[in-house]
Amino acid sequence: MNSEKITKGINAAPQRTLLHALGLTDEEIGKPLIGIVSSQNDIVPGHMNIDKVVQAVKLGVAQAGGVPIVFPAIAVCDGIAMGHEGMKYSLVTRELVADSTEAMTKAHAFDGLVMVPNCDKNVPGMLMAAARLNIPAIFVSGGPMLAGTVDGKKISYSTVSEAVSRYKVGEIDEEKLSEYENKACPTCGSCSGMFTANSMNCLTEVLGMGLRGNGTIPAVYSQRLLLAKHAGMQIMELVKNNIRPRDIMTEKAFENALTVDMALGCSTNSMLHLPAIAHECGIDLHLDIANEISAKTPNLCHLAPAGDHFIEQLNEAGGVYAVMHELSKLSLINTDILTCTGKTVGENIEGCEIKDTEIIRTVENPYSKTGGIAVLKGNLAPDGCVVKRSAVAPEMMCHKGKARVFDCEEDALNAIYDGKINAGEVVVIRYEGPKGGPGMREMLNPTSAIMGSGLGSSVALITDGRFSGATRGAAIGHVSPEAAVGGNIALIEEGDMIEIDINANTINILVSDEVLAERRAMWKPRQPRITTGYLARYAKLVTSGSTGAVLE
């Protein structure tokens, strides 16, 4: 065991005395030491209940013969950080979570890890750490929030974002906006739609790193605590049998993740995180494969923001395993690979039938025959960009319009709020990529402003930044190469015609190569927006969004 270097033999006496200082007995010091990585804090609604989840994990570990030892991980609430400088600090925390988990684990020689994340970046950050460390590990999240209700209709955080624009254009009054504000987020938990946090927690099940229900059991259900206890017990089996993350997160597991991603209609952020996690596993996950998988994978769910269903309903309909079981009928799931249960995917999903075919459609009656996410390429994005196809209005699947160009999110948002964006146009927000932002901010506020202003079926938005999982509409992000490194998005001028064909997976500026070459000769790199602190270091090290924005 890893911990023997600090628990066994004469030379470990100094370490043992410090373990005694923690209150550990000789009997405990002889058992496996299990690190529990807790992202509990009092500012993120998805994390305020994690102390209770962690306590349940500790009981499970102890019951199964291990010694549970808790240490922290940070987490940023994307919703609170949205629309101001704080959003620059969202994606970048993924690397901080991975690095600090690595440091704590190596420094203290843990034998296994139970990861307890919940929100957007600390789930993939911990998955990256698990792959990097490659000691037995299992995940149990804090769980999703219940949906709110207004006028008999379920709503979520994204409803409030769009309601701001509806108020500004006079569609609703201040009283109705206040009602949305006070009812949209009724419990703790990760926001209630298929936004980034819930997307990644669901994909943790698919990757084989979380037990059944990890992505869907609501935070306020006691079943979440039962799940946590079982995760605590199961880590001891993984330690006993030396089943490690890279035994589980194989290339076939990532193929499964992309497949279920398409069927569920997950957040476009999964197209950043899956390649980054795969990178830590030593696997090159090229996004080109996404379109190949999408072409043969039916979209079975329309969860918010793509539709009116929520994670709590997905849970009742059979959850992630039911989706996987349904996809297996078309032989789209690799069923012979190992998972954290100690069983194969096929053994795990056996008999997991859909319980509500309105929430999870059958493969015979999908929302569409192709998946919920598309990667587009063309002269605007030679290395690719990403759109949540399942959340795009049918009339916007093919669109051609004049570019309205903005060099930051704030300028674009002000133009939308001021009524300066017209039907048929294409809003371009650049210099918001991993390096240019820096930090690759989410553009939920501009997309919500477009939707709330009634332009969702006539205006597209393109950015080298990214989008919240709560975003809907023709919102195309992760444009690569980004503007800050001289990508063609930096060469777009006001009034250029842009053509988008999501069905054909293409995106182009309708300008000749000669004109682009002339503009490139005149282009000069911009001075960094931030020159000190963590963001400055991040900007120097981060790679393209097309490769998962990993650090070199």
Side-chain angles (χ1 to χ4, degrees), residues 276-428:
I277 299 161
H279 176 75
E280 296 287 355
C281 292
I283 297 169
D284 234 352
L285 188 64
H286 290 290
L287 287 187
D288 290 346
I289 195 177
N291 287 337
E292 296 174 24
I293 290 175
S294 180
K296 59 185 179 182
T297 305
N299 179 222
L300 305 182
C301 299
H302 263 194
L303 298 149
D308 297 324
H309 301 147
F310 294 84
I311 300 297
E312 64 198 71
Q313 294 167 290
L314 176 62
N315 186 60
E316 296 301 321
V320 174
Y321 276 22
V323 174
M324 295 176 73
H325 183 267
E326 188 66 16
L327 292 170
S328 71
K329 295 176 181 178
L330 298 179
S331 299
L332 295 175
I333 297 292
N334 297 303
T335 58
D336 59 346
I337 54 178
L338 186 63
T339 71
C340 67
T341 66
K343 300 177 182 178
T344 65
V345 168
E347 291 172 316
N348 287 344
I349 67 175
E350 186 177 359
C352 295
E353 300 286 349
I354 300 170
K355 297 177 182 178
D356 186 338
T357 55
E358 281 297 308
I359 308 301
I360 305 171
R361 291 197 175 184
T362 64
V363 292
E364 293 83 15
N365 181 39
Y367 282 100
S368 66
K369 293 182 179 180
T370 53
I373 289 179
V375 175
L376 315 182
K377 285 191 174 183
N379 70 353
L380 195 153
D383 293 342
C385 54
V386 181
V387 62
K388 189 168 185 173
R389 187 206 317 251
S390 60
V392 177
E395 57 269 33
M396 290 297 291
M397 296 296 284
C398 295
H399 182 73
K400 182 163 68 173
K402 289 183 179 180
R404 301 296 308 279
V405 183
F406 304 92
D407 287 350
C408 68
E409 175 191 3
E410 289 83 356
D411 290 349
L413 186 61
N414 289 334
I416 299 166
Y417 281 156
D418 292 344
K420 295 179 180 179
I421 303 300
N422 305 304
E425 294 178 337
V426 178
V427 175
V428 177

Side-chain angles (χ1 to χ4, degrees), residues 107 132 157 163 211 215 228 239 263 272 330 365 401 409 437 488 508:
R132 187 185 302 172
Y157 167 79
L211 300 177
V239 169
L272 272 179
L330 298 179
N365 181 39
E409 175 191 3
N488 285 350
N508 289 289

Side-chain angles (χ1 to χ4, degrees), residues 202-221:
C202 286
L203 293 181
T204 300
E205 284 191 58
V206 184
L207 285 169
M209 293 296 293
L211 300 177
R212 182 181 183 182
N214 184 52
T216 59
I217 297 171
V220 294
Y221 284 12

Side-chain angles (χ1 to χ4, degrees), residues 2-21:
N2 286 337
S3 61
E4 289 185 357
K5 65 190 73 170
I6 64 170
T7 62
K8 302 291 186 183
I10 296 298
N11 290 343
Q15 284 88 352
R16 285 197 299 273
T17 194
L18 294 171
L19 295 176
H20 286 311

